[in-house]
Amino acid sequence: MKDLTCRVLVVGGGPGGYVCAIRAGQLGLDTVLVERAALGGTCLNVGCIPSKALIHTAEQFHAATDTASETGLSFGKATVDMGRNVAWRRSIVDRLNRGVAGLLKKAKVRVVTGEARFLDGKTVEVTDGSSSYRINADDVVIATGSDPVSLPDVPFDGPVLSSTEALSLTEVPDRLVVVGGGYIGLELGTAFAKFGAKVTVVEAGDRLLPQYDSALTKPVADRLKSLSVTVHTGTTVVSVSKTGGAVTLQLRTPDGTERTLEAEKALVTIGRRPNAGSAGLSELGLDMAGPAIAIDDRCRTSMRGVYAIGDVTGEPMLAHRAMAQGAMVADLLAGKKRKWDVRAFPAICFTDPEIVQVGQTAEEAKQQGIEVKVSEFPLAANGRAMTRERTDGFVRVVAEKATGVLLGIQAVGTEISELSAAFSIALEMGARAEDVAATIHAHPTQGEGFQEAALGVMGHALHI
Amino acid sequence: MGRYVVKLPDVGEGIAEAELVEWMVEVGDTVQEDDALASVMTDKATVEIPSAAAGIVTWRGGEIGDIIAIGSELVHLDVPGFDDSGPKDASEQGAAEPDSQPSPSPQSPTPPKEPKPARSEAVEPPNQVKLSTTRVLAAPSVRRRALEAGIDLARIAGSGPGGRVVHADIEKADQNRRTEPGQAEERPNEEVRVIGLRRKISERMSLSWSRIPHITIVEEVDVSALERLRGDMNARRKGDGVKLTVLPFLMRALVIAIGEQPALNATFDDEANVVTQWGPIHIGIATQTDTGLTVPVVRHGENRSIRSLATELARVAGAARDGSATREELTGSTITITSLGPLGALATTPIINHPEVAIVGVNRMSVRPFWNGNAFEPRMMMNLSSSFDHRVIDGWIAAVFVQRLKQLLETPALLFAEMEK
Ligand SMILES: Cc1cc2nc3c(=O)[nH]c(=O)nc-3n(C[C@H](O)[C@H](O)[C@H](O)COP(=O)(O)OP(=O)(O)OC[C@H]3O[C@@H](n4cnc5c(N)ncnc54)[C@H](O)[C@@H]3O)c2cc1C
């Protein structure tokens, strides 16, 4: 048993933990990071990055096989070597892993590999095979992330996959059932559909992506239909049986009848659970907010000197939230004044088309008693969208009626995610519709849709 | 081990809440039964809350300066051998029927709703922008600078378009706070929270000043005779008798003057529009203590001799200073005297002890030349600065009262003659 002491101990090397550690190191704090698996956490290894790589190649494959295109292009028979595709994705992940390791080293962070177990609010024990450490710190940051939730009594094995296994499939399954129509299930389900799998989505709610309004999700639902994806909403899984190389799901439909569905693989994406109970965390007796560790606006837990960041603190479980919290906590630990002061929190679904939501919806603003003006610009009137053969979607701006101050922006469209930067900056800077309208947006880009929607708030959109 | 909950007991009649002014324990401390856990402050009295059990403090129910309702949870103790297997939803029950006794009451092992840090946006859904977005327009860098400089953005009038707060506004606000530019670096600004007695004083002063139109009359009093008499009386004082100051004489004069003008011994309930003229004369004496101004009360001035007034005054003022004064001794005055002793200045503008209608201020005594018709004569002079609630006391009434005080003090025999009646 080796004893280590440090100023800051970060447990978990995902986007929350590694960003916190790097920043703490940059600020001159003696920092130790403990990670049991690979640096970069869920996001880098089995989340954001590999999923987006999969989505990218799926779209390319689909474009090459799209016979409906009127562009005059045609390709020979497209094929995919999924094994190589997985290896290619792995290489991106490896490069980023090494990048993170390099950044940590440069910031003089000591990285300890192994499973951490909390002995108390200041001490963890780390075991890695034969070697073990006891690490004592002045301040501790819990960044243990989250794990996928499985169906009751149906563990992830064989043909029943979590997103992690789905991302390492070396063959495209003939038939794939996706249980759970949230963004992770739809992103992966769409990708496999583009690779030629027969995909069925089973969602218990009455529509897909229930946290977004129906106008935003409609283009996604339409696209799924054109990709021959079957969607069963209001449908629950009653039982799952694994039979040889396949899986059979018993479903209950909204009218109460039961039906069976057979597939080679079932991908279960019904949510993620904060890693807040294991690793001796429950013995710390921290205050909880449901399954997550409760935090205040400085990511402080109920125990002094113990902070929590990222997925372990609950929704929204997104990498950029974890990173922003990590950087904030490092600043706080270095004695800077900080608090969670975020007005524009972007959430993106990398579905097809993509959905971006930043700031408030009209509904949320109205609930606060704000009178709003809503303006929507359809991409069907956007030149760039036409040149890319995809005119489904729109940009919608919600502004305060009296002042034109932007309150929120929602958009759906192909690769519209890149506009989230413009949306967030406008909101954080406190822009009015007039400011956006008076800013020249290059032609031809989908960004012009943002400018047009802002003009619409002022009552004079040009191109509709 | 069980969780034992100490609640804030009933600390005085009709009191619904109290301000937490001091913690005597930290989380992790071991306490014995009857050890003081915290001090809370009600209207005027500060009360120590004792522990009803021995154990280890696991939770404290608030920060200094918080207002806590009677019956709410003050401290959690881990008590060895204490059975806390109450009903499973006891935490809700506990809130529903606050137990005002600090006696053992079994609580559920579930901690009550944690009052510590307010849960933040961080655990809220992503798309929530606080209303302040529409109120305070400011870029993230401006907001951060304001936070670092300890400036509340909501209090700054932004100079940008539509009231947008820009960097220059923060700089200006920061500079305005420095009294002497250039020296501010040497001594950091300090924020002192207005809590406890100071907060009470602040509230009462604002209440009085904002509600009561004050009329202040300054009059000079020739106290040469009074001073001679006082000297004699002090010289003949018995071993344990208190030394007489000028105050008991003034109190006696007040009693006599009020006998003729009962309207001055009154409180004015300006919400009900009722002036109550009080029978007994309870004289409040504004007294400086280590923590600030308090007003101990000499009750029933009308029944007391000068010596009795002096003895009682010394007792209640002493109790106020050493913090042992009871609530009874700190409330219920019907008229107030304020005196700064040797610091009493030439004249002051006393603020009425709301809801009373008059306050008499005593200024410094000094030898001043006095024109006796032929020549200047050195006389011992003292000013009285008295304020009145002009809504219910006319200037004429106030002037008559002050003149009467002057007369009584200049001819001290009257103070005793009147007593014979
Ligand atoms: C398929 C998929 C796609 C996603 N796509 C996106 C996206 O496009 N955009 C987005 O913003 N978010 C996305 N997410 C979510 C994102 O991955 C998470 O929000 C993010 O990773 C959370 O970061 P974190 O640091 O809180 O936790 P994690 O990334 O989960 O990291 C936690 C780390 O802690 C380690 N750890 C846990 N316990 C211990 C212990 N006891 N000892 C040592 N180490 C421990 C784990 O091994 C892990 O590496 C996606 C997630 C999935 C699954």
Side-chain angles (χ1 to χ4, degrees), chain B residues 77-100:
Chain B
L77 299 176
D78 257 346
V79 177
F82 178 67
D83 178 20
D84 63 358
S85 57
K88 275 294 157 263
D89 59 346
S91 63
E92 278 167 46
Q93 283 187 357
E97 36 174 296
D99 179 2
S100 58

Side-chain angles (χ1 to χ4, degrees), chain B residues 201-362:
Chain B
I201 295 171
S202 149
E203 284 167 5
R204 297 188 56 102
M205 289 298 171
S206 317
L207 178 71
S208 176
W209 191 246
S210 60
R211 292 274 266 264
I212 305 178
H214 284 62
I215 175 177
T216 300
I217 297 179
V218 181
E219 177 58 292
E220 61 175 358
V221 181
D222 181 343
V223 288
S224 308
L226 180 66
E227 278 302 278
R228 263 196 309 280
L229 172 68
R230 193 168 72 90
D232 287 350
M233 286 177 77
N234 276 336
R236 290 187 295 105
R237 152 174 78 118
K238 307 219 175 58
D240 57 347
V242 285
K243 197 168 165 230
L244 296 172
T245 64
V246 83
L247 286 182
F249 295 92
L250 176 61
M251 290 160 87
R252 179 69 200 141
L254 269 185
V255 167
I256 295 168
I258 286 169
E260 294 153 14
Q261 287 182 282
L264 278 307
N265 188 50
T267 54
F268 178 23
D269 181 344
D270 54 8
E271 263 152 20
N273 268 318
V274 173
V275 173
T276 308
Q277 292 183 5
W278 295 97
I281 303 171
H282 300 324
I283 305 171
I285 306 289
T287 305
Q288 189 63 35
T289 68
D290 288 346
T291 46
L293 177 71
T294 57
V295 186
V297 181
V298 173
R299 305 181 83 80
H300 289 290
E302 74 280 12
N303 294 338
R304 292 182 188 274
S305 67
I306 293 204
R307 287 231 183 261
S308 156
L309 286 167
T311 315
E312 180 64 1
L313 171 59
R315 191 185 69 75
V316 292
R321 285 203 190 90
D322 68 23
S324 68
T326 63
R327 199 177 126 72
E328 176 87 331
E329 286 161 350
L330 292 170
T331 51
S333 58
T334 55
I335 189 165
T336 296
I337 294 176
T338 170
S339 165
L340 289 175
L343 296 174
L346 202 56
T348 44
T349 56
I351 295 178
I352 294 168
N353 189 10
H354 181 95
E356 293 163 24
V357 300
I359 183 165
V360 178
V362 182

Side-chain angles (χ1 to χ4, degrees), chain A residues 36-51:
Chain A
R36 65 180 173 198
L39 289 173
T42 303
C43 171
L44 211 160
N45 297 288
V46 293
C48 327
I49 297 298
S51 67

Side-chain angles (χ1 to χ4, degrees), chain A residues 11-17 34-38 40-43 46-48 51-52 114-117 143-146 163 167 183-184 187-188 272 275 279 309-312 317-320 322 348 350:
Chain A
V11 178
V34 184
E35 169 57 57
R36 65 180 173 198
T42 303
C43 171
V46 293
C48 327
S51 67
K52 267 80 252 181
E115 174 97 26
R117 190 173 169 76
T144 48
S146 62
S163 56
L167 283 167
Y183 83 93
I184 294 179
E187 286 184 12
L188 298 181
R272 296 183 63 85
N275 270 329
I309 58 175
D311 283 8
V312 75
M317 295 196 199
L318 290 169
H320 43 276
I348 297 178
F350 290 87

Side-chain angles (χ1 to χ4, degrees), chain B residues 49-206:
Chain B
I49 308 300
S51 180
I56 297 164
V57 177
T58 58
W59 178 85
R60 302 195 311 192
E63 302 291 331
I64 303 293
D66 286 356
I67 304 288
I68 298 183
I70 303 301
S72 53
E73 301 187 344
L74 188 67
V75 161
H76 289 183
L77 299 176
D78 257 346
V79 177
F82 178 67
D83 178 20
D84 63 358
S85 57
K88 275 294 157 263
D89 59 346
S91 63
E92 278 167 46
Q93 283 187 357
E97 36 174 296
D99 179 2
S100 58
Q101 298 301 315
S103 57
S105 67
Q107 288 292 309
S108 134
T110 347
K113 215 168 168 299
E114 176 62 44
K116 242 203 58 185
R119 301 294 164 231
S120 66
E121 294 111 307
V123 290
E124 286 172 2
N127 305 309
Q128 285 208 338
V129 179
K130 294 281 171 256
L131 188 63
S132 60
T133 312
T134 54
R135 297 274 158 77
V136 184
L137 282 187
S141 59
V142 173
R143 299 193 319 253
R144 177 169 290 185
R145 271 221 56 200
L147 179 73
E148 286 170 344
I151 293 169
D152 181 0
L153 270 185
R155 288 173 188 281
I156 293 187
S159 64
R164 166 187 288 268
V165 180
V166 297
H167 280 286
D169 297 325
I170 303 286
E171 265 153 40
K172 216 170 94 195
D174 199 23
Q175 241 147 44
N176 285 350
R177 290 190 313 187
R178 305 174 184 210
T179 37
E180 281 190 77
Q183 294 203 348
E185 270 75 39
E186 293 162 31
R187 215 194 126 132
N189 302 332
E190 198 187 340
E191 280 182 7
V192 180
R193 292 193 62 201
V194 175
I195 59 166
L197 180 61
R198 182 48 55 196
R199 174 147 95 187
K200 282 267 140 47
I201 295 171
S202 149
E203 284 167 5
R204 297 188 56 102
M205 289 298 171
S206 317

Side-chain angles (χ1 to χ4, degrees), chain A residues 287 295-297 313 316 321 337-338 340-341 343 345 357 359-360 364 368 370 400 407 428-430 432, chain B residues 114 116-124 126-127 129 131 134 136-140 143-144 147-148 162 164:
Chain A
D287 275 3
I295 51 167
D296 70 358
D297 62 358
T313 63
R321 173 168 167 267
K337 274 198 186 172
R338 292 288 182 270
W340 190 253
D341 174 27
R343 296 177 178 188
F345 191 92
Q357 180 156 304
Q360 284 181 307
E364 285 162 350
Q368 291 188 3
I370 305 173
E400 189 181 35
L407 301 173
E428 282 291 353
M429 297 297 286
R432 292 156 177 254
Chain B
E114 176 62 44
K116 242 203 58 185
R119 301 294 164 231
S120 66
E121 294 111 307
V123 290
E124 286 172 2
N127 305 309
V129 179
L131 188 63
T134 54
V136 184
L137 282 187
R143 299 193 319 253
R144 177 169 290 185
L147 179 73
E148 286 170 344
R164 166 187 288 268

Side-chain angles (χ1 to χ4, degrees), chain A residues 18 21-22 25-26 33 39 97-111:
Chain A
Y18 86 72
I22 290 176
Q26 287 173 342
L33 174 71
L39 289 173
N97 283 149
R98 282 197 303 275
V100 171
L103 292 170
L104 286 164
K105 193 166 171 211
K106 200 168 136 208
K108 302 202 165 57
V109 175
R110 286 177 281 170
V111 177

